[in-house]
Amino acid sequence: MFTRLLKYIKPYRTVFVISLFCVVGLAIFGAFRPYVLKEAIDVKIANKEYNGFVIYMVIMLALLIFEVISQLLFIYYASWLGQSVVKDIRVKLFKHMLKFKMTYFDKSSVGVLITRAVTDMERIADIFGEGLFMIFSDILKMIVVAGFMSFINLKLSLIVFVTMPIVLFATKIFQKYMKIAFEDVRTEVSNLNSFVQERVTGMKILQLFTRETTEYKKFKAINERHKKGWLKTVWYNSIFFPIAEFLASLTMAMVILVGGFNAISENAGTTLGDLIAFTMFIPMLFRPLNQIANKFNTLQMGMVAADRVFKVLDTTSNIDDSGTIETSHFDGNITFEDVRFSYIKDEEVLKGISFNVEAGETVAIVGATGAGKSTIINLLNRFYEINSGTIKVDNTDIKDMTLSSLRNQIAVVLQDVFLFADTILNNISLNNPNITEEDVVNAAKSIGIHEFISSLPNGYHYNVKERGVMLSSGQRQLISFLRAYVTNPSILILDEATSSVDSYSEQLIQDATDKITEDRTSIVIAHRLATIQQADKIIVMDAGEIVEIGTHKSLLKKEAGYYKNLYEVQFLKAEVV
């Protein structure tokens, strides 16, 4: 995992090398200062020599300045490197997610995916800014300090080195348990994000059905688990760091005790400078050891986050886009040949359906909820892969076409309209550089909704906010219809496009439909049969099978026909109302 993460550093080798040099500088300049101070005490202060004493102080000041500069550069470049690597991974992740099949999103929580793309990425950045380089810096500093201590006074160094294995063992145990704890924390963070995102999005439903108290209790339970996860890490920290601090203080006391007796004894080989240097060296040795444990926390969180992100990157849920045929226009002939499909294995939604749509025809697909009407549209756009059979456009298998050229020629107006928190203009053009504001205005005028858009504050530059909450459902549907119309598609699909609009908006859409469907292949899915009576062909579906095909008039002539029954039931309800 770590090796894979380091591959993303390759474009930033120069910055990586600078950071490493800064790390080396921090270790060397920091370790030299106690040694210079020792020499100043033993050579000058002990002998009461003023000559040359200032030089030692100047050297110490210079070492301090170099250490500060190294630390400044290290903090900046290590953080810069971390953010640059994360930017590259995040872009790669989002690009990868854009190509996923709809099946992946059907089964994945939005909150979890947001956590992967945002929160987990910041934890990965910490690997470089606070984890990896800091651990390397601390280890290098410990090695240099240990070398200086051994060179100055081996006897006192052995006292220090005896306690280090104990701290190292404690650090290893601490690291093991912290990894488990942080995995639990990341899981609970994902659950929390997912829960909050879904409840905020569906707040209207919660309030309509007075579920506030129930959801509040659920949130408290999830938050409690999140708290317990973090408290587990706090508990491990509260045990480890006092133990490490106690061992450091105990080591310092032993060094002062033994070194003090040796310094008093004239022939013991320990000087006052040695003692002063060791009182500086010991914190420099033990503090990094304690910090390594702390940085391991950061590193563990980063590695857990990286593991989760790479699992998404390793997911092979992409639609096969190996087709080579590029087309800028379809005549509009559509053929389904014995198409079978299931969202869940062994539970077929489409059971070997076959039908033809001639170029320029308007074909309606009707049937009860769950009959498979919208599934046909999803398969035509290749949002899902069929189990068997063939789907052709203009006698070419859609698998042989590139996804972009296929979808560019098919415009879909869905029942559930999704608008982004952006202007009306951008929601219609979707920032397509080939669609100008003039194109949008002309299209709006031609289908009769220019007046409605112009009446809004800032007109086409009116921000509709998240999911278009500033517009009514009918207005959102009109915007969605204009979005499809302005692309001038070869094939137009209306999926329950008038099911949730008022009579005025429906009439606008019906007028626009008459214009846009002229000489263009159109597929209309509708529950309201009054809207599809003029269709050239009506396909009637039931439980994933085609039960009838014909015109409105021919289907009504069938005694005990499925369509006739649907029609009579709908109009009987209308008369009752």
Side-chain angles (χ1 to χ4, degrees), residues 103-115:
T103 307
Y104 180 85
F105 296 105
D106 293 342
K107 298 178 180 178
S108 301
S109 164
V110 175
V112 169
L113 292 178
I114 291 173
T115 301

Side-chain angles (χ1 to χ4, degrees), residues 193-208:
N193 286 346
S194 180
F195 184 90
V196 172
Q197 189 274 333
E198 289 178 353
R199 269 57 182 184
V200 170
T201 303
M203 188 59 70
K204 183 181 291 186
I205 298 298
L206 298 184
Q207 294 183 354
L208 279 172

Side-chain angles (χ1 to χ4, degrees), residues 155-272:
K155 187 176 180 180
L156 294 182
S157 300
L158 291 174
I159 297 174
V160 178
F161 297 157
V162 165
T163 57
M164 287 192 67
I166 302 173
V167 179
L168 286 171
F169 177 75
T171 302
K172 187 174 181 179
I173 299 298
F174 174 70
Q175 175 196 350
K176 175 184 175 182
Y177 283 98
M178 285 300 286
K179 180 180 180 181
I180 298 172
F182 279 128
E183 286 176 348
D184 293 341
V185 168
R186 297 310 306 155
T187 299
E188 294 306 329
V189 168
S190 295
N191 293 339
L192 192 61
N193 286 346
S194 180
F195 184 90
V196 172
Q197 189 274 333
E198 289 178 353
R199 269 57 182 184
V200 170
T201 303
M203 188 59 70
K204 183 181 291 186
I205 298 298
L206 298 184
Q207 294 183 354
L208 279 172
F209 290 91
T210 62
R211 307 306 296 167
E212 296 95 332
T213 303
T214 302
E215 296 303 317
Y216 171 70
K217 290 179 179 178
K218 286 184 180 178
F219 179 76
K220 282 186 69 176
I222 293 174
N223 215 25
E224 182 66 24
R225 293 199 301 270
H226 178 261
K227 183 193 76 172
K228 286 180 178 178
W230 273 111
L231 285 179
K232 195 181 290 184
T233 68
V234 173
W235 171 244
Y236 294 148
N237 279 318
S238 64
I239 294 174
F240 173 76
F241 287 105
I243 291 175
E245 191 65 32
F246 171 76
L247 289 172
S249 299
L250 186 63
T251 303
M252 177 78 76
M254 290 297 296
V255 166
I256 293 174
L257 180 65
V258 175
F261 278 118
N262 288 343
I264 293 171
S265 304
E266 294 183 1
N267 299 320
T270 299
T271 66
L272 183 61

Side-chain angles (χ1 to χ4, degrees), residues 102-149:
M102 287 299 108
T103 307
Y104 180 85
F105 296 105
D106 293 342
K107 298 178 180 178
S108 301
S109 164
V110 175
V112 169
L113 292 178
I114 291 173
T115 301
R116 300 293 172 269
V118 182
T119 310
D120 284 343
M121 289 296 178
E122 292 307 315
R123 299 290 78 78
I124 294 174
D126 291 341
I127 291 177
F128 299 96
E130 300 177 19
L132 168 67
F133 287 119
M134 288 301 294
I135 290 174
F136 181 67
S137 173
D138 289 342
I139 291 175
L140 185 61
K141 184 179 288 186
M142 288 167 60
I143 293 172
V144 174
V145 166
F148 270 102
M149 291 171 69

